[in-house]
Amino acid sequence: MEITLQVNGKPRTVDVDPRMSLLDLLRERLGLIGAKKGCDHGQCGACTVLIDGRRALSCLALGVAVDGSEVTTVEGLANGDELHPLQAAFIEHDAFQCGYCTPGQLCSAAGMLGEPGPSAVTEDILVDPDLTPEEIRERMSGNLCRCGAYVNIVSAISEVAR
Amino acid sequence: MNRIEGRVKVTGLATYAAEYPVEDVTYAFPVQSQIAKGRVRHVDAQDALAMPGVLAVLSGEDPPPLASGADGELALFQSREVAYRGQIVAAVVADTYENARAAAAVVRVDYDSDDHDVSLRADHPGLYKPDHVNPAYPTDSEKGDIEAGLAEAATVVDVVYETPVLHNNPMEPHAALACWDDEGGLLVYDTAQGTTLSRDTLAQVFGLPKERVRVVSRHVGGGFGSKGTTRPQAVLAAMAARVVGRPVKIVLTRQQMFDVTGYRTPTIQRLRLGADAQGRLTALEHVAYEQTSTLEEFAEQTATPTRIMYATPALRTAHRLVRLDVATPSWMRAPGECPGMYALESAMDELAYALGMDPVELRVVNEPETEPDSGLPFSSRNLVGCLREGARRFGWEHRDPTPGVRRDGEWLIGTGVAASTYPARRRPSKARAVVEDDGDFLVQVAAADIGTGARTALTRIAAEALGVAPERVHVELGDSDLPEAPVAGGSMGTASWGSAIVRACEELKSDGKEGLADTTEEVRGDAAFSRHAFGAQFVEVRVSSVTGEVRVPRLLGVFAAGRIVDPKLARSQFIGGMTMGMGMGLMEETLTDEEFGGFLRRDLAQYHVPACADVPDVEAVWLDERDAELNPMASKGIGEIGIVGTAAAIGNAVYHATGHRVRELPITPDKILMPRF
Amino acid sequence: MKPFDYTRADSAAQAVREYAPGTMYLGGGTNLVDLMRLGVAEPERLVDVSRLPLDTIESVRDRVRVGAAVRNTDLAVDPMIRARYPMLARAVLTGASGQVRNVATVAGNLLQRTRCAYFQDVTRPCNKRRPGSGCPAIAGDHTNLAILGSSEACVATHPSDMAVALAALEAEVHVTGPGGDRIIPMPGLHRLPGEEPERDTVLEPGDLITAVELPPPPAGATVYRKVRERASFAFALVSIAAVLDVGDDGVVAGCRIALGGVAHAPWRAERAEQALIGGPATGEAFLRAAEAELEQARPLPRNAYKVPLTRNLIVSTLEGLAS
């Protein structure tokens, strides 16, 4: 099936097998290797991208089902040579080691910063809370990091959230 | 300093094994055994071959030849014997991943199955004494008279601990992309913790001279030991590429990783400790029971840390192994020290309670002058310093040792301590340093950066050796065409590669153009010392008296690990190890399927590793150590010591919180709740 | 994955017309695509209903109607839901991760399948996946499986958090299908396994959930609590959605308790509720009620901990609501 996506601002038309995930489409067909395959079942967050501005798991999205969507991958976060503030903060806070979960962490954080409303740890559900470290930890728990860089990830995101 | 490859990692441009753009690539997908023991009677590939895009089905029916003598886990399709459920028994190669995977699902494999045995028991009749334990330690050690020491003890602790099967679960799945050239040369982009070893292994498996094989692993998405040895996906990719005459890519699924990329053996460990009224050990015995496969022997060195930790007149350690119908266990972050120190440091806490003594003081009282087993002098040892500094920072002096008395609503609060240790070794390595045309320096070594920051640390080491700014040094690694180097493992990477780099840089400085180093002789000449890093872990836990949930609000590690090459990277290594140790303590567990063989919970929704919300406050600090006996950098490895001791500290804190000792990891709510009600 | 056809429906009616045996409806895909990749679900055809105009949350008189295609995140952050049904917002927020909630739909959340290890592994037997093949979980790994309402055939649990809150809120599930429209009151959507564990719900082939309608919030204090050994991004060992209305006289006027992680369906603890209504709101009464409910528990060796866990959770939750 032929589908068209806006990927990092550019229209991309691809003929895809309906079985192909958005993740495999990005990696194997469009040469965008930023989104990572960690589990292929929505259990690790390494494949997180922004679909129509919201963070989502590209491994659980069929390419055909996102036809017509805007997709932003980690390759599309920076503004030319100028890193996204999250990217710069991740480097400065040493918020990664092996780097494999990092694109997903970054896309997830970028999406998360634009998500209002409470989380599971918000005391008063009627209030949109400040992004305290506790709130960030809960909201970023869909992105596993086996190297254990969480402490630094949270400090990097906190700096940008301020 | 900031990671040199930071920018490519945060922009998504860092290229991992499966990500190299290769023309005309095809995809392979393995078919795995559905029995735990027996023989493949027949592989019927007819339906699979009729599926769209399928190029080949590989199996034992027409096995592509490999050289004899390959490791049993790598000798794909060379035998019809099935050693464990999940073993690779066939594979499909197709034009797309979707087609390969769909066709793999219709390959029909018929088996003659035998009864299997997958259960480790301390009374298993098949237990035996291996010749040595990983990598080359004596299997047993004995000094003094254990029984006499226990008989004269004022207090005896005799306890058994169990640890489950654990899986490394690096975020990047094991992958390989293999291409053969017209001259019969093999290029494999592999997820390898060491390209030299991976090259040598592949050369041996395919019967090729080393010069004809090249392995490239520029970026590796974690390994924690599971990528330290060559894994079957690399062999399968190369084999399949030869069969179809096109490049072949394989990315194992997360589930397949549980089956064929190694794991930490489960252990049953019996500890017997005797102490006099002052807490001085009179006897210390540590016996570990572990498993291996019928294919290969892997004997974890679980009890070896007990040989170096505490002064005692009677010291015995032993390892017993049983061959089961399971996959071969392998390295997982601090093999040996990690599960062994969990048991020893839990037992020390039990002894402290039995004696009515502070657990920090108990360890101080038993500080040895020389290595207890060997009698060798320590090159440096600052365990007591770590315990004291940790106690000070953690506020240990105000601790009431009474278990089960601190409450915040439904939450019981406790604190615990455990010691950690890890050997400080190095291996021979080569390196090359040259002046480039622009006057900068190129440093080459077939090292691997699996997330440790090796590129950055080696840049710093070279810059210091050359006396130039790090910006003028460019380190090239992750390619077997570079000067030969050992794997990133055993916390030996920086010490091994760094030694060679320093020597190469020294030679460059005198030569003016190029320096080539090979540290084989230098390492062989290392004086006889007991070389280890030490540390102390302090932890606070909250345990729900309603649900049995355990949370860790505070985890502090203090380490003495030689000179720290780079503080920023070192802190990340320590806290990363400690975070993994928290997972070991509280949630990580792979179940063995007794009925069907193989493993259960083979994904990241069932095998839980810590998530961001589990890790509110992990901090690591260190004591500066000056140890001239180690290597030119005076450094000790730091990749593994962080995980060592963490689980014991958590278990000790859970006891302090609840008054209940859990002796089987992980400490999940069921184990908290059941004995209480 | 077996090859399949894909079409996108423009309306619920069209989706139902497109239905034929072998067809599955695709919502957010966060469970279905996962199951297809595992080979557990093998549709011949997907009809994508994720973009149907069923994505609004509307107040209808004193009730609230939530479209089936509303994403979990949008449900949880909706001001009306947070104000009137905080328990529901809480339950949704404890489920999965932010990325999954952004995509997963309300209907898809209800219809997600069990995470039992055997169900998800096509190389092992499972009565739910392959009727008659057996249930190895009973003798094997059932640590996280059911203690209530299970059968010889199946000990699976329903994994949803949202459905537990909906069971306590007595929401109505609106369904359209080849047989026409109907309304199913929660917790009646999900069934117990009995002899037919392959059937998770009472839906018939081709049925499509169009909305979930919330009746006026019950009187009293409400709470949702989820227990798990990992602090986030994990399915519940046990969860509870509870409503407690205590009169000025200290007598329980109303009580609803729904449990997750203990059964094949969200479990309304009716025995406990009945034991409490009209009686004193004391810790002792809560304990007796919890024990009355758990008398029917049939735990297995590795999940026996769920009995004291559930008991404690009921007591502690009600005590919290009463104070």
Side-chain angles (χ1 to χ4, degrees):
Chain A
M1 290 179 68
E2 192 175 274
I3 64 165
T4 300
L5 303 170
Q6 290 282 329
V7 182
N8 298 329
K10 293 197 195 85
R12 306 291 294 259
T13 299
V14 202
D15 188 28
V16 293
D17 184 325
R19 294 173 293 180
M20 188 174 239
S21 66
L22 173 60
L23 175 61
D24 285 336
L25 170 62
L26 292 167
R27 288 171 63 83
E28 304 295 329
R29 298 292 298 279
L30 301 182
L32 291 168
I33 57 170
K36 302 299 185 197
K37 185 183 284 192
C39 73
D40 222 12
H41 286 277
Q43 302 163 352
C44 79
C47 68
T48 304
V49 298
L50 302 174
I51 302 179
D52 295 328
R54 289 163 69 129
R55 54 179 173 159
L57 299 172
S58 59
C59 75
L60 293 181
L62 294 174
V64 289
V66 293
D67 184 15
S69 300
E70 281 182 27
V71 176
T72 303
T73 69
V74 72
E75 290 97 333
L77 286 185
N79 182 9
D81 281 346
E82 190 191 334
L83 293 179
H84 186 285
L86 283 166
Q87 292 172 314
F90 266 54
I91 293 175
E92 204 51 47
H93 289 260
D94 206 32
F96 53 88
Q97 295 182 31
C98 80
Y100 200 78
C101 74
T102 312
Q105 301 278 1
L106 286 162
C107 287
S108 184
M112 184 271 290
L113 292 176
E115 287 172 2
S119 80
V121 297
T122 307
E123 201 85 355
D124 180 353
I125 199 146
L126 298 177
V127 173
D128 289 2
D130 293 337
L131 285 178
T132 60
E134 186 191 15
E135 286 284 349
I136 291 171
R137 285 194 294 271
E138 165 59 25
R139 289 159 197 257
M140 290 300 293
S141 280
N143 291 85
L144 302 180
C145 168
R146 188 57 161 160
C147 296
Y150 295 126
V151 174
N152 294 348
I153 290 169
V154 173
S155 63
I157 296 173
S158 294
E159 184 191 300
V160 177
R162 253 183 241 125
Chain B
M1 81 191 238
N2 291 340
R3 277 168 210 266
I4 283 168
E5 76 284 9
R7 194 177 174 97
V8 291
K9 281 184 174 170
V10 301
T11 51
L13 300 176
T15 311
Y16 296 79
E19 301 175 340
Y20 285 82
V22 171
E23 290 279 304
D24 211 25
V25 70
T26 65
Y27 298 80
F29 197 89
V31 177
Q32 297 176 270
S33 165
Q34 294 188 22
I35 64 164
K37 186 183 187 185
R39 220 175 126 74
V40 173
R41 191 175 345 119
H42 181 62
V43 177
D44 180 353
Q46 212 173 344
D47 291 351
L49 286 165
M51 300 266 287
V54 173
L55 301 168
V57 175
L58 316 182
S59 76
E61 293 301 320
D62 181 17
L66 294 177
S68 59
D71 176 289
E73 294 280 355
L74 300 180
L76 299 176
F77 319 132
Q78 306 300 299
S79 160
R80 287 178 172 271
E81 298 299 318
V82 172
Y84 60 92
R85 186 187 174 95
Q87 192 177 3
I88 296 172
V89 294
V92 173
V93 191
D95 59 345
T96 67
Y97 177 71
E98 289 75 18
N99 283 336
R101 189 165 184 174
V106 304
V107 172
R108 277 206 305 273
V109 185
D110 292 323
Y111 305 92
D112 293 317
S113 62
D114 299 333
D115 291 342
H116 60 256
D117 179 1
V118 295
S119 306
L120 175 65
R121 309 192 318 258
D123 62 352
H124 196 291
L127 284 165
Y128 71 99
K129 179 184 169 185
D131 282 345
H132 64 275
V133 293
N134 179 65
Y137 289 111
T139 304
D140 293 358
S141 72
E142 190 153 9
K143 192 192 79 172
D145 185 337
I146 291 287
E147 300 306 332
L150 291 172
E152 76 184 48
T155 304
V156 171
V157 165
D158 181 351
V159 279
V160 175
Y161 300 94
E162 295 185 22
T163 62
V165 172
L166 296 171
H167 274 87
N168 310 52
N169 272 316
M171 294 312 298
E172 181 202 20
H174 294 63
L177 174 50
C179 325
W180 293 86
D181 63 28
D182 295 341
E183 284 81 47
L186 174 63
L187 167 62
V188 180
Y189 299 98
D190 189 16
T191 48
Q193 289 179 224
T195 50
T196 302
L197 179 62
S198 181
R199 176 202 66 184
D200 292 354
T201 305
L202 289 172
Q204 190 218 339
V205 168
F206 286 94
L208 295 167
K210 287 178 187 179
E211 302 72 43
R212 304 290 284 278
V213 180
R214 181 179 173 203
V215 173
V216 175
S217 310
R218 297 278 184 209
H219 296 283
V220 180
F224 314 109
S226 70
K227 295 169 180 171
T229 50
T230 300
R231 289 288 154 194
Q233 88 284 348
V235 175
L236 183 51
M239 178 191 265
R242 190 184 245 177
V243 169
V244 301
R246 289 167 66 178
V248 170
K249 182 191 290 196
I250 297 177
V251 180
L252 294 182
T253 65
R254 180 61 56 178
Q255 289 83 353
Q256 289 164 348
M257 287 168 67
F258 278 80
D259 303 325
V260 299
T261 69
Y263 61 94
R264 196 195 292 286
T265 178
T267 70
I268 302 168
Q269 302 178 56
R270 183 173 181 199
L271 274 289
R272 292 199 294 164
L273 285 68
D276 66 18
Q278 285 72 48
R280 287 187 298 261
L281 290 168
T282 57
L284 173 52
E285 182 188 52
H286 188 170
V287 183
Y289 303 91
E290 313 159 358
Q291 72 188 35
T292 189
S293 72
T294 59
L295 285 175
E296 296 291 331
E297 181 181 275
F298 178 83
E300 207 198 52
Q301 66 272 42
T302 309
T304 55
T306 298
R307 297 174 188 170
I308 61 127
M309 282 304 292
Y310 299 114
T312 173
L315 174 61
R316 176 173 177 258
T317 63
H319 300 83
R320 295 296 176 266
L321 208 57
V322 59
R323 289 187 181 274
L324 299 174
D325 303 311
V326 297
T328 315
S330 185
W331 302 330
M332 177 166 168
R333 205 170 198 167
E337 280 76 15
C338 179
M341 286 291 279
Y342 159 68
L344 175 61
E345 291 302 295
S346 300
M348 286 293 282
D349 198 67
E350 299 210 39
L351 180 62
Y353 271 99
L355 288 160
M357 199 170 167
D358 179 79
V360 168
E361 295 310 317
L362 175 65
R363 289 168 173 88
V364 172
V365 162
N366 286 291
E367 176 71 3
E369 304 242 327
T370 57
E371 189 181 90
D373 180 48
S374 67
L376 284 173
F378 289 102
S379 66
S380 57
R381 173 173 167 127
N382 280 299
L383 172 59
V384 171
C386 292
L387 287 162
R388 295 273 187 240
E389 176 66 8
R392 187 185 69 75
R393 287 175 177 261
F394 199 76
W396 190 259
E397 60 179 322
H398 307 298
R399 180 182 190 255
D400 171 2
T402 315
V405 295
R406 286 149 303 276
R407 248 182 195 273
D408 174 11
E410 71 177 64
W411 295 90
L412 303 165
I413 298 166
T415 52
V417 65
S420 45
T421 187
Y422 198 80
R425 297 171 291 212
R426 61 172 175 162
R427 287 205 176 130
S429 179
K430 297 177 185 172
R432 176 171 179 259
V434 288
V435 182
E436 295 184 294
D437 293 343
D438 59 2
D440 281 2
F441 300 89
L442 176 66
V443 173
Q444 297 178 312
V445 57
D449 192 338
I450 60 172
T452 53
R455 241 183 219 92
T456 313
L458 296 180
T459 299
R460 238 182 125 133
I461 288 167
E464 279 176 29
L466 292 166
V468 302
E471 294 72 39
R472 292 189 55 206
V473 175
H474 309 286
V475 169
E476 203 182 340
L477 50 70
D479 187 334
S480 65
D481 279 359
L482 299 170
E484 293 179 340
V487 295
S491 294
M492 288 181 281
T494 303
S496 307
W497 311 321
S499 294
I501 286 174
V502 169
R503 300 303 173 222
C505 289
E506 286 168 354
E507 191 180 307
L508 167 63
K509 281 202 325 199
S510 62
D511 175 273
K513 281 192 215 144
E514 182 176 22
L516 285 170
D518 179 344
T519 59
T520 305
E521 287 306 314
E522 176 180 332
V523 172
R524 192 176 294 152
D526 280 346
F529 276 99
S530 174
R531 303 157 194 272
H532 299 272
F534 291 90
Q537 311 250 9
F538 291 80
V539 62
E540 178 181 329
V541 300
R542 293 165 66 85
V543 183
S544 167
S545 59
V546 173
T547 66
E549 290 165 296
V550 182
R551 302 288 182 249
V552 179
R554 221 160 36 116
L555 179 52
L556 169 71
V558 182
F559 301 97
R563 190 177 73 90
I564 295 301
V565 173
D566 185 287
K568 191 177 241 183
L569 301 177
R571 176 174 172 274
S572 292
Q573 282 284 290
F574 289 133
I575 63 177
M578 293 164 71
T579 301
M580 196 181 274
M582 182 193 295
M584 177 189 184
L586 297 179
M587 59 190 81
E588 294 187 33
E589 179 176 27
T590 305
L591 291 187
T592 298
D593 187 338
E594 309 227 338
E595 183 172 4
F596 301 105
F599 293 128
L600 292 166
R601 304 193 182 170
R602 296 155 59 243
D603 65 35
L604 293 173
Q606 298 178 85
Y607 185 99
H608 282 170
V609 303
C612 199
D614 291 293
V615 190
D617 180 7
V618 176
E619 195 46 271
V621 297
W622 47 86
L623 309 178
D624 204 25
E625 240 178 13
R626 299 286 157 185
D627 184 336
E629 297 297 337
L630 298 167
N631 54 54
M633 296 77 61
S635 66
K636 295 178 179 176
I638 56 174
E640 288 161 280
I641 192 169
I643 195 175
V644 178
T646 311
I650 289 173
N652 296 342
V654 167
Y655 175 76
H656 187 228
T658 64
H660 174 60
R661 183 71 64 175
V662 178
R663 298 193 182 92
E664 289 169 40
L665 292 183
I667 304 171
T668 42
D670 53 322
K671 292 172 194 159
I672 301 286
L673 285 175
M674 286 312 278
R676 287 175 68 87
F677 301 101
Chain C
M1 248 186 242
K2 280 191 180 161
F4 57 85
D5 294 327
Y6 169 91
T7 43
R8 203 179 269 184
D10 297 323
S11 69
Q14 190 214 338
V16 172
R17 278 198 306 278
E18 297 273 359
Y19 179 82
T23 299
M24 293 184 82
Y25 299 126
L26 175 69
T30 53
N31 188 208
L32 181 55
V33 173
D34 161 40
L35 291 173
M36 288 167 65
R37 196 162 288 135
L38 291 168
V40 174
E42 295 192 306
E44 291 162 21
R45 186 151 185 261
L46 286 184
V47 174
D48 187 343
V49 295
S50 65
R51 303 198 193 190
L52 296 186
L54 302 173
D55 58 349
T56 55
I57 301 172
E58 294 165 321
S59 178
V60 185
R61 292 182 305 279
D62 57 350
R63 302 164 73 87
V64 172
R65 190 182 167 97
V66 180
V70 167
R71 311 289 170 159
N72 284 196
T73 297
D74 298 326
L75 176 64
V77 305
D78 183 85
M80 189 161 50
I81 298 294
R82 284 154 72 183
R84 296 180 64 189
Y85 307 96
M87 171 212 283
L88 176 59
R90 287 264 181 224
V92 172
L93 289 170
T94 64
S97 67
Q99 293 96 310
V100 173
R101 294 193 296 270
N102 276 348
V103 174
T105 63
V106 165
N109 187 322
L110 285 171
L111 297 181
Q112 64 180 306
R113 314 286 318 263
T114 184
R115 281 356 188 248
C116 173
Y118 301 95
F119 174 74
Q120 297 185 89
D121 181 350
V122 296
T123 71
R124 287 175 165 91
C126 167
N127 285 325
K128 181 180 279 297
R129 181 168 34 74
R130 209 163 65 225
S133 61
C135 175
I138 291 171
D141 181 23
H142 48 253
T143 316
N144 294 337
L145 300 182
I147 56 168
L148 287 162
S150 56
S151 71
E152 298 292 309
C154 182
V155 292
T157 47
H158 194 264
S160 171
D161 292 292
M162 184 189 76
V164 178
L166 292 179
L169 293 169
E170 298 179 356
E172 293 172 352
V173 179
H174 291 232
V175 175
T176 185
D181 297 351
R182 62 198 169 115
I183 293 174
I184 303 167
M186 287 290 281
L189 175 68
H190 300 94
R191 54 186 298 286
L192 294 178
E195 297 297 306
E196 288 181 290
E198 67 274 19
R199 291 186 62 205
D200 289 358
T201 68
V202 300
L203 295 182
E204 298 295 333
D207 276 352
L208 177 70
I209 295 174
T210 55
V212 168
E213 201 166 290
L214 301 167
T222 71
V223 74
Y224 185 80
R225 181 170 177 186
K226 178 175 187 175
V227 178
R228 42 189 167 173
E229 99 286 2
R230 182 158 79 181
S232 185
F233 198 24
F235 293 99
L237 300 177
V238 177
S239 68
I240 183 169
V243 184
L244 186 68
D245 183 22
V246 181
D248 294 338
D249 53 0
V251 170
V252 176
C255 176
R256 296 183 197 173
I257 301 166
L259 300 169
V262 295
H264 194 259
W267 183 268
R268 270 296 286 266
E270 288 171 3
R271 289 191 193 182
E273 294 173 8
Q274 290 310 316
L276 284 169
I277 291 171
T282 62
E284 200 183 314
F286 299 149
L287 178 60
R288 277 201 309 274
E291 285 177 341
E293 188 65 38
L294 291 163
E295 267 172 22
Q296 29 178 351
R298 286 194 301 176
L300 296 161
R302 293 181 73 113
N303 70 4
Y305 73 97
K306 284 193 177 184
V307 175
L309 171 52
T310 307
R311 183 194 61 206
N312 292 358
L313 195 58
I314 291 173
V315 174
S316 165
T317 301
L318 294 177
E319 282 177 343
L321 289 174
S323 60

Tab-separated table of all heavy atoms in Angstrom, chain B residues 630-650:
chain	number	residue	atom	x	y	z
B	630	LEU	N	49.251	-0.742	39.722
B	630	LEU	CA	48.185	-1.200	38.830
B	630	LEU	C	48.537	-1.101	37.352
B	630	LEU	O	48.589	-2.090	36.635
B	630	LEU	CB	46.913	-0.403	39.116
B	630	LEU	CG	46.339	-0.560	40.531
B	630	LEU	CD1	45.280	0.498	40.787
B	630	LEU	CD2	45.748	-1.952	40.712
B	631	ASN	N	48.748	0.128	36.894
B	631	ASN	CA	48.935	0.404	35.471
B	631	ASN	C	49.345	1.861	35.358
B	631	ASN	O	49.316	2.590	36.355
B	631	ASN	CB	47.622	0.114	34.709
B	631	ASN	CG	46.434	0.862	35.302
B	631	ASN	OD1	46.478	2.079	35.446
B	631	ASN	ND2	45.388	0.137	35.676
B	632	PRO	N	49.714	2.326	34.180
B	632	PRO	CA	50.209	3.709	34.069
B	632	PRO	C	49.192	4.760	34.516
B	632	PRO	O	49.560	5.859	34.904
B	632	PRO	CB	50.516	3.859	32.573
B	632	PRO	CG	50.650	2.477	32.040
B	632	PRO	CD	49.816	1.592	32.907
B	633	MET	N	47.907	4.420	34.453
B	633	MET	CA	46.884	5.390	34.873
B	633	MET	C	46.599	5.315	36.366
B	633	MET	O	45.873	6.142	36.901
B	633	MET	CB	45.567	5.144	34.123
B	633	MET	CG	45.624	5.356	32.616
B	633	MET	SD	46.418	3.965	31.752
B	633	MET	CE	45.355	2.608	32.156
B	634	ALA	N	47.109	4.276	37.024
B	634	ALA	CA	46.814	4.011	38.440
B	634	ALA	C	45.322	3.806	38.669
B	634	ALA	O	44.789	4.124	39.724
B	634	ALA	CB	47.354	5.134	39.343
B	635	SER	N	44.646	3.255	37.670
B	635	SER	CA	43.188	3.127	37.746
B	635	SER	C	42.775	1.695	38.037
B	635	SER	O	43.494	0.752	37.727
B	635	SER	CB	42.565	3.572	36.420
B	635	SER	OG	42.935	2.682	35.377
B	636	LYS	N	41.606	1.562	38.644
B	636	LYS	CA	40.951	0.268	38.773
B	636	LYS	C	39.653	0.320	37.953
B	636	LYS	O	39.073	1.389	37.786
B	636	LYS	CB	40.612	-0.028	40.241
B	636	LYS	CG	41.850	-0.193	41.150
B	636	LYS	CD	41.454	-0.438	42.598
B	636	LYS	CE	42.686	-0.618	43.477
B	636	LYS	NZ	42.339	-0.761	44.918
B	637	GLY	N	39.216	-0.826	37.490
B	637	GLY	CA	37.990	-0.843	36.688
B	637	GLY	C	36.780	-0.485	37.536
B	637	GLY	O	36.719	-0.785	38.725
B	638	ILE	N	35.808	0.159	36.890
B	638	ILE	CA	34.652	0.649	37.645
B	638	ILE	C	33.323	0.214	37.054
B	638	ILE	O	32.268	0.611	37.535
B	638	ILE	CB	34.682	2.190	37.725
B	638	ILE	CG1	34.737	2.785	36.317
B	638	ILE	CG2	35.869	2.646	38.559
B	638	ILE	CD1	34.619	4.282	36.308
B	639	GLY	N	33.358	-0.616	36.026
B	639	GLY	CA	32.116	-0.967	35.334
B	639	GLY	C	31.242	-1.918	36.122
B	639	GLY	O	30.037	-2.000	35.902
B	640	GLU	N	31.831	-2.673	37.027
B	640	GLU	CA	31.062	-3.734	37.658
B	640	GLU	C	30.864	-3.570	39.163
B	640	GLU	O	29.901	-4.086	39.724
B	640	GLU	CB	31.725	-5.083	37.335
B	640	GLU	CG	31.468	-5.416	35.875
B	640	GLU	CD	32.388	-6.444	35.280
B	640	GLU	OE1	33.518	-6.089	34.909
B	640	GLU	OE2	31.971	-7.594	35.169
B	641	ILE	N	31.774	-2.878	39.809
B	641	ILE	CA	31.687	-2.851	41.275
B	641	ILE	C	30.384	-2.211	41.758
B	641	ILE	O	29.882	-2.553	42.837
B	641	ILE	CB	32.928	-2.154	41.887
B	641	ILE	CG1	32.948	-2.416	43.386
B	641	ILE	CG2	32.973	-0.682	41.543
B	641	ILE	CD1	34.234	-2.028	44.070
B	642	GLY	N	29.791	-1.340	40.942
B	642	GLY	CA	28.551	-0.683	41.369
B	642	GLY	C	27.407	-1.647	41.638
B	642	GLY	O	26.588	-1.426	42.530
B	643	ILE	N	27.363	-2.720	40.855
B	643	ILE	CA	26.256	-3.664	41.061
B	643	ILE	C	26.528	-4.564	42.252
B	643	ILE	O	25.598	-5.097	42.866
B	643	ILE	CB	25.998	-4.512	39.787
B	643	ILE	CG1	24.631	-5.224	39.877
B	643	ILE	CG2	27.103	-5.544	39.536
B	643	ILE	CD1	24.237	-5.983	38.613
B	644	VAL	N	27.812	-4.737	42.597
B	644	VAL	CA	28.175	-5.683	43.657
B	644	VAL	C	27.777	-5.100	45.016
B	644	VAL	O	28.145	-3.974	45.334
B	644	VAL	CB	29.691	-5.977	43.631
B	644	VAL	CG1	30.063	-6.933	44.768
B	644	VAL	CG2	30.118	-6.540	42.291
B	645	GLY	N	27.053	-5.850	45.761
B	645	GLY	CA	26.692	-5.402	47.112
B	645	GLY	C	25.341	-4.721	47.204
B	645	GLY	O	24.745	-4.680	48.277
B	646	THR	N	24.862	-4.172	46.095
B	646	THR	CA	23.611	-3.407	46.172
B	646	THR	C	22.454	-4.276	46.654
B	646	THR	O	21.688	-3.874	47.540
B	646	THR	CB	23.253	-2.805	44.798
B	646	THR	OG1	24.402	-2.140	44.267
B	646	THR	CG2	22.123	-1.819	44.923
B	647	ALA	N	22.320	-5.461	46.057
B	647	ALA	CA	21.179	-6.313	46.426
B	647	ALA	C	21.262	-6.727	47.893
B	647	ALA	O	20.239	-6.794	48.589
B	647	ALA	CB	21.129	-7.541	45.522
B	648	ALA	N	22.479	-6.993	48.376
B	648	ALA	CA	22.620	-7.358	49.790
B	648	ALA	C	22.233	-6.179	50.682
B	648	ALA	O	21.540	-6.357	51.691
B	648	ALA	CB	24.056	-7.799	50.078
B	649	ALA	N	22.684	-4.991	50.307
B	649	ALA	CA	22.347	-3.817	51.128
B	649	ALA	C	20.832	-3.633	51.187
B	649	ALA	O	20.270	-3.303	52.241
B	649	ALA	CB	23.023	-2.573	50.554
B	650	ILE	N	20.165	-3.874	50.054
B	650	ILE	CA	18.705	-3.735	50.032
B	650	ILE	C	18.062	-4.807	50.925
B	650	ILE	O	17.172	-4.515	51.729
B	650	ILE	CB	18.182	-3.822	48.580
B	650	ILE	CG1	18.577	-2.551	47.823
B	650	ILE	CG2	16.671	-4.022	48.553
B	650	ILE	CD1	18.270	-2.589	46.328
